[in-house]
């Protein structure tokens, strides 16, 4: 109870926008009628159904416009994880179905995927699944100390049986922006290789025009840009082969069965429309991020992780020597500050972030990782508050640490 009251009256600073964002009020208002009044099933022919269909197709047009795509190239899903599964498994299965002609069915010539060691688990686990099922071979490319993958390394990894290259646009832990457009240009010279990007952390702030990026598939999820959790999408370029992973009705052009989540689809499109306007002002978030970075780096033993310039506007990430990230999070939470750490607590033991390890950060240093991710509502006062609270927390934790 006391804890609850504390939470209510304590200053609250939300710096975990890379994990999820609040639903924007305008977005909430846009979707509200589709719960209460216009609740029809978009597959039905009556008035309610047709109203729902009009809303879904209107949303599809808006999403397509934001991506520079055609409406028929957008598939609505439940989240980025689903989109990523559909993209990877869908392309590999489609290629395997054409096995006779492409000669990839023989063990020595399984379809080959090129991806990176720093992808989100949604990509890594999907690739592992395809490998374990004997459906694909996967190359996990290393990255440099800033989390950047090299275009040359992608090119070198390509084999005659490569069918998919999958590189994330923005890394969710360190904020590094990958050279997607450059990889896209390089892949233009190849034939039969489809290019997927996980744009989950990019949608709110970066240009996601699919032609400028040169991608064939692009995954995203609404709750990272002020739409609700439980709705996402996949862009699939016309002509890219894809086998659906959800069997059932013929919704979403036959590529994703299941009754469309009309209110959330409306919300997703509205949020994307708002983010297009906000992108113009994203320098406000970037300036606050830089102020935060400069302030945190004054703490002795604090280091920036990720690239200093090729970095998404909303992500500030660090390692702090001599402290556990989880302990910092708990003490920040005690002061009303929401943050994240790359290390995950599994069965009582701390596991260092696979992203930091891939960047060459030693495991003991990686345990001290901290991610502060800003949002469009973040204020100067909030950054000042965090910069006041964080140094004494680090000092206290270092004093408490056993000396070996
Ligand atoms: N990809 C990236 C880069 C992410 O940051 C996330 C979520 O944190 C995901 C994929 C998965 O998103 P969702 O949980 O909405 O499927």
């Amino acid at each position: 109870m006391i804890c609850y009251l504390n939470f209510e009256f304590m200053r609250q600073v939300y710096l975990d926008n890379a994990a999820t964002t609040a639903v924007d009020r305008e977005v909430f208002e846009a979707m509200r009628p589709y719960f209460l009044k216009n609740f029809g099933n978009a597959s039905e022919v009556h008035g309610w159904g047709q109203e729902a269909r009009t809303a879904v197709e209107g949303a599809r047009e808006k999403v397509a416009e934001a991506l520079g795509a055609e409406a028929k190239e957008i598939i609505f899903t439940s989240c980025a994880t689903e989109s990523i599964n559909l993209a990877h498994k869908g392309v590999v299965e489609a290629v395997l179905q054409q096995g006779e002609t492409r000669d990839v069915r023989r063990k020595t010539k399984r379809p080959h995927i090129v991806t990176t060691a720093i992808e989100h688990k949604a990509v890594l686990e999907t690739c592992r699944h395809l490998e374990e099922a004997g459906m694909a071979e996967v190359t996990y490319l290393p990255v440099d100390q800033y989390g950047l993958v090299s275009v040359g390394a992608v090119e070198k990894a390509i084999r005659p049986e490569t069918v998919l290259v999958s590189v994330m646009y923005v890394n969710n832990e360190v904020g590094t922006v990958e050279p997607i457009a450059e990889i896209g240009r390089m892949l233009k010279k190849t034939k039969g290789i489809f290019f997927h990007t996980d744009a989950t952390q990019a949608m709110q702030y970066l240009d996601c025009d699919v032609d400028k990026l040169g991608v064939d598939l692009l995954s995203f999820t609404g709750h990272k840009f002020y739409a609700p959790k439980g709705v996402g999408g996949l862009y699939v370029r016309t002509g890219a082969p894809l086998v659906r992973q959800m069997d059932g009705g013929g919704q979403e052009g036959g590529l994703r069965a299941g009754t469309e989540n009309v209110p959330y689809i409306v919300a997703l499109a509205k949020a994307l429309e708002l983010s297009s306007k906000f992108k113009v002002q994203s320098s406000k978030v970037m300036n606050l991020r830089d102020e935060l970075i400069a302030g945190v780096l004054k703490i002795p033993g604090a280091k920036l992780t990720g690239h200093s310039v090729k970095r998404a506007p909303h992500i500030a990430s660090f390692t702090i020597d001599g402290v556990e990230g989880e302990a910092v999070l708990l003490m920040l939470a005690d002061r009303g500050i929401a943050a994240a750490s790359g290390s995950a607590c599994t069965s009582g033991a701390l596991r260092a972030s696979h992203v930091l390890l891939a960047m060459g950060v030693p495991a003991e240093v990686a345990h001290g990782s901290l991610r502060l991710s800003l949002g469009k509502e973040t204020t100067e006062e909030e950054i000042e508050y965090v910069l006041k609270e964080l140094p004494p927390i680090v000092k206290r934790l270092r004093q408490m640490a056993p000396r070996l």
Side-chain angles (χ1 to χ4, degrees), residues 2-186:
I2 291 166
C3 202
Y4 175 72
L5 285 176
N6 259 347
F7 187 77
E8 281 287 285
F9 295 115
M10 195 167 45
R11 178 164 199 161
Q12 300 292 310
V13 177
Y14 186 76
L15 287 182
D16 201 13
N17 289 277
T20 198
T21 56
V23 174
D24 187 289
R25 189 153 288 281
E26 265 191 75
V27 169
F28 185 70
E29 291 308 330
M31 75 173 172
R32 189 204 280 269
Y34 297 93
F35 286 107
L36 302 172
K37 190 167 156 273
N38 311 331
F39 58 85
N41 181 328
S43 298
E44 301 299 340
V45 295
H46 48 62
W48 284 272
Q50 289 312 295
E51 204 148 8
R53 172 57 53 207
T54 304
V56 168
E57 296 316 319
R60 203 184 306 282
E61 293 276 350
K62 274 191 197 166
V63 172
E65 196 186 324
L67 298 177
E70 289 177 45
K72 64 177 179 7
E73 297 175 314
I74 306 298
I75 301 171
F76 290 118
T77 64
S78 63
C79 60
T81 302
E82 187 191 333
S83 305
I84 288 164
N85 270 264
L86 175 56
H88 291 71
K89 293 174 182 169
V91 167
V92 166
E93 261 191 54
V95 170
L96 283 171
Q97 280 180 9
Q98 302 159 3
E100 289 330 23
T101 48
R102 297 188 56 123
D103 197 22
V104 286
R105 273 207 168 142
R106 279 189 283 138
K107 239 185 168 257
T108 48
K109 278 196 169 187
R110 271 177 288 185
H112 174 240
I113 299 174
V114 178
T115 188
T116 80
I118 59 157
E119 299 295 310
H120 188 273
K121 292 277 181 220
V123 170
L124 295 177
E125 292 300 314
T126 301
C127 286
R128 293 238 154 85
H129 173 98
L130 287 167
E131 280 181 298
E132 280 165 15
M135 293 168 73
E137 286 184 10
V138 185
T139 300
Y140 301 91
L141 292 174
V143 292
D144 69 10
Q145 59 182 315
Y146 306 110
L148 272 177
V149 66
S150 100
V151 184
V154 177
E155 192 167 12
K156 263 202 202 138
I158 289 171
R159 307 178 191 164
E161 59 273 23
T162 303
V163 295
L164 187 68
V165 170
S166 184
V167 179
M168 68 197 321
Y169 197 167
V170 170
N171 180 271
N172 48 302
E173 288 188 31
V174 297
T176 298
V177 180
E178 300 298 338
I180 300 302
E182 288 90 322
I183 298 171
R185 274 198 293 281
M186 180 274 290

